[in-house]
Every structure is written in structure tokens, then in C-alpha cells.
Amino acid sequence: MTHPASPHEHQHEHHGHQHGHHQGHPHAPAAPAGAGASWRTAAQATLHCLTGCAIGEVLGMVVGTAAGLHNAATVTVSIALAFVFGYALTMRGVLRAGVPLRQALKVALAADTVSIAVMELIDNTVMVGVPGAMDAGLADALFWVSLVLSLALAFVLTTPVNRWMIGRGRGHAVVHAYH
């Protein structure tokens, strides 16, 4: 019984055949540099952003709920704190690379604004949309389950946005120069 050639042998023959037709031409990359970003890179950028957002979001919801603020005020506090903590986490890494404060702020704004905005839109829409979630107390499981689910959904829906932006040299792509 004869065995078919291994895939390696076929690749070698195929490569040799192509090489003869394209001699003298440099091999072009499969895609232009920066044309795409991996899902892993996008997920890492989203997770980084989610960390800051989650800190601000949870803190805002806790403060707003504990203080008995109206739902709109609680959402406003949560969104404001999400942006503050999201930007702060990015700035921390950029400042550590020796970038001046003003430039670090510009990098953070460029890297995270769209990502945080999308995340907060999804997160707060879920929190407001789940019946009773915003009115639940801090000791109520509905509040925490809704918050966790809203953040998880925000992560899932923001990752493709970040992938698209990084692939175009925007969003979190601007931070990679400082790592």
C-alpha cells in the first residue's frame, strides 16, 4: 500500500513551482501592515478598557444607589467615573514610559474614548433596561447580576469595535508605541 505524500512534501513542491514563476519578485505580505488586528489583541484592549470602566461603573452605581440618587443621576455618575478610571489606567502605563502628562492625556483620549463610550452605552442600556435593576439595593442580587451581565455584554460587543479601530491604527493601537 502506498501512502500519499505528506502535506510538507506538497508544500515544498508547490512552493518550488511558484518560486520558478515569480523569480526576482519579493514576496508580498498577505495583507498590508495595519490592515487588521487579531481578536486576541482586540480582546486585550477591550479587557484593559473594561477594567477602568468596571471600576468607575461599579463605584458610580454603588455611590448613586447608596446616596439614593435618581436613576439618571446614578447613570451620569457611573459614566463620568468610568471615563475617569478608563483614562487613568491608560495614562498610568503611558506615564510609566516617560511620556509627559499632557501627551499621556492625549494618548489616553485617542486610545479609549470610542471604546469607553460604546461600553458605557451598552452597559447602562442594559442596567436601565433590566426591570428593577436600577431600583434594587446594593444587598439585592438583581443589582449585582445585572451589573455583571451588562459589563460582560459590553465586553463582547465592544471587542469587534476595538478590533476594527486597532486595524486602522486608531484606538488602543496608539498605546502600543509606548509599551
Side-chain angles (χ1 to χ4, degrees):
M1 180 172 178
T2 60
H3 295 287
S6 72
H8 178 68
E9 289 171 352
H10 280 298
Q11 285 176 342
H12 189 290
E13 290 172 17
H14 185 70
H15 179 68
H17 179 71
Q18 276 192 350
H19 185 55
H21 288 308
H22 297 289
Q23 257 178 335
H25 296 286
H27 292 289
S38 73
W39 283 106
R40 179 186 168 132
T41 300
Q44 286 173 336
T46 306
L47 192 58
H48 180 272
C49 184
L50 182 68
T51 303
C53 284
I55 293 168
E57 186 72 29
V58 171
L59 193 57
M61 289 289 172
V62 168
V63 167
T65 303
L69 297 178
H70 187 271
N71 288 352
T74 299
V75 167
T76 302
V77 169
S78 294
I79 291 171
L81 289 175
F83 274 95
V84 167
F85 281 96
Y87 290 144
L89 281 181
T90 297
M91 284 182 64
R92 185 187 67 170
V94 175
L95 287 168
R96 200 179 302 136
V99 176
L101 182 64
R102 191 181 184 114
Q103 181 64 26
L105 180 59
K106 287 179 183 177
V107 169
L109 291 172
D112 292 336
T113 300
V114 172
S115 184
I116 294 172
V118 170
M119 204 167 279
E120 286 305 294
L121 176 69
I122 295 162
D123 181 43
N124 286 292
T125 300
V126 171
M127 282 302 289
V128 171
V130 172
M134 291 295 293
D135 299 321
L138 296 178
D140 195 333
L142 177 64
F143 173 82
W144 294 104
V145 169
S146 300
L147 190 54
V148 167
L149 287 176
S150 70
L151 290 168
L153 185 63
F155 173 80
V156 168
L157 296 178
T158 306
T159 298
V161 174
N162 279 332
R163 183 174 186 249
W164 182 83
M165 287 178 26
I166 291 167
R168 280 143 192 80
R170 294 190 172 99
H172 238 259
V174 300
V175 175
H176 292 288
Y178 301 99
H179 285 306

